[in-house]
Amino acid sequence: MDFSLKPLAFLLCCLLLWQTQTDASTCSDCFTQSRAAYYPNSDVNGTETGACGFGSFGATINGGDVSAASDLYRGGVGCGACYQVRCTNAKYCSDNGVTIVITDSGSSDHTDFILSNHAYSKMAQTKDAAASLLALGVVDIEYRRVSCSYPSHNMTIKIDESSNYPYYLAFVIWYQQGNKDITAVQLCETQNYSCKLLDRTHGAVWATTMPPSGPLSIRMLLSGSDDGDETWIVPDNNIPQDWTAGATYDTGVQVDL
């Protein structure tokens, strides 16, 4: 036997183990272990008063498969993000679980998610299994970030009811797509292209006092939470000059990043 090969074999083994650990720590498709509960007062869908500021839209988006998040809320940056969530009790739980959208902030009994009743029940294999999960109240889960997809909807600007033309403009962005976060938003004049960086006042609400006049173009910075990749997106359509509180404006863009 050639004992001189042993140090080399040991070195190769260490390198393989290090590579495996590195891959595991940076795996964007890997599941994370946690716990989930559900809104006890949920009328099937989510809440209309979620911390993200989506209003009634936040209760019904994604067919009502929505959730509050604790650490994943990230001061509002996590609003609109999608996650695959599946419970781990083989007796009751399906393999695929449910895909949810973050619309609120909250935690309960060391959970990462408080799901809508609708979403919580969809983790089950059958209706009877769903009743058993609801009776448990809190279950062990695993989750991972996935892309949001709304094939029938472009990203949409919803002007917040608190807006006061022309002195104060606030809005949220509906139908956030892909698996990146909206980390910055600029409001630009279409005449001279001067831009103003907006403030995230709370949740997913972007706002500014004394907004520019005329038709307004927005720029959104999409950032990857894992890879750090950043991309500026400029929608095809502008916010009209005579924007009004409560109105919605189609940006004309679909994003798959």
Side-chain angles (χ1 to χ4, degrees):
M1 179 181 294
D2 187 355
F3 290 97
S4 65
L5 295 178
K6 284 188 175 182
L8 178 59
F10 177 75
L11 177 60
L12 290 174
C13 181
C14 290
L15 288 173
L16 180 61
L17 178 60
W18 174 83
Q19 181 64 44
T20 301
Q21 292 175 335
T22 301
D23 290 345
S25 65
T26 60
C27 177
S28 60
D29 292 328
C30 296
F31 284 91
T32 299
Q33 307 297 312
S34 185
R35 288 159 59 83
Y38 67 95
Y39 286 104
N41 59 345
S42 169
D43 197 11
V44 181
N45 294 331
T47 176
E48 296 185 358
T49 58
C52 288
F54 290 135
S56 59
F57 174 81
T60 58
I61 185 178
N62 195 40
D65 291 336
V66 297
S67 180
S70 51
D71 292 343
L72 295 173
Y73 178 73
R74 292 178 289 146
V77 175
C79 290
C82 293
Y83 292 87
Q84 180 185 1
V85 181
R86 61 189 189 189
C87 54
T88 57
N89 187 322
K91 183 177 180 181
Y92 302 126
C93 302
S94 68
D95 292 335
N96 293 329
V98 62
T99 297
I100 58 88
V101 180
I102 300 300
T103 62
D104 195 10
S105 172
S107 63
S108 172
D109 195 13
H110 305 290
T111 63
D112 270 309
F113 299 94
I114 304 179
L115 303 172
S116 66
N117 188 307
H118 190 266
Y120 189 91
S121 298
K122 281 185 70 173
M123 293 191 296
Q125 299 173 14
T126 64
K127 288 185 177 180
D128 288 342
S132 297
L133 288 181
L134 290 168
L136 290 174
V138 180
V139 292
D140 293 327
I141 61 152
E142 52 187 17
Y143 70 89
R144 63 181 176 181
R145 179 82 179 262
V146 295
S147 290
C148 299
S149 179
Y150 307 100
S152 301
H153 299 279
N154 295 325
M155 296 180 73
T156 300
I157 303 297
K158 167 63 179 354
I159 307 297
D160 193 77
E161 284 77 2
S162 65
S163 298
N164 180 21
Y165 180 85
Y167 307 107
Y168 177 73
L169 175 60
F171 60 80
V172 294
I173 300 170
W174 288 358
Y175 303 115
Q176 178 179 331
Q177 298 156 4
N179 63 356
K180 296 186 183 298
D181 302 318
I182 300 176
T183 55
V185 176
Q186 290 183 335
L187 196 63
C188 306
E189 292 183 2
T190 57
Q191 301 285 333
N192 58 19
Y193 302 105
S194 63
C195 296
K196 184 175 185 179
L197 189 65
L198 304 187
D199 297 319
R200 184 192 296 273
T201 59
H202 65 281
V205 180
W206 299 92
T208 182
T209 56
M210 302 305 295
S213 59
L216 301 173
S217 172
I218 69 167
R219 300 176 73 234
M220 298 174 287
L221 181 62
L222 304 184
S223 304
S225 57
D226 292 324
D227 56 19
D229 181 54
E230 294 186 335
T231 303
W232 282 98
I233 297 295
V234 181
D236 298 331
N237 301 332
N238 297 325
I239 298 174
Q241 178 175 347
D242 56 347
W243 54 264
T244 57
T248 57
Y249 301 108
D250 189 327
T251 66
V253 296
Q254 292 262 339
V255 177
D256 186 18
L257 294 174

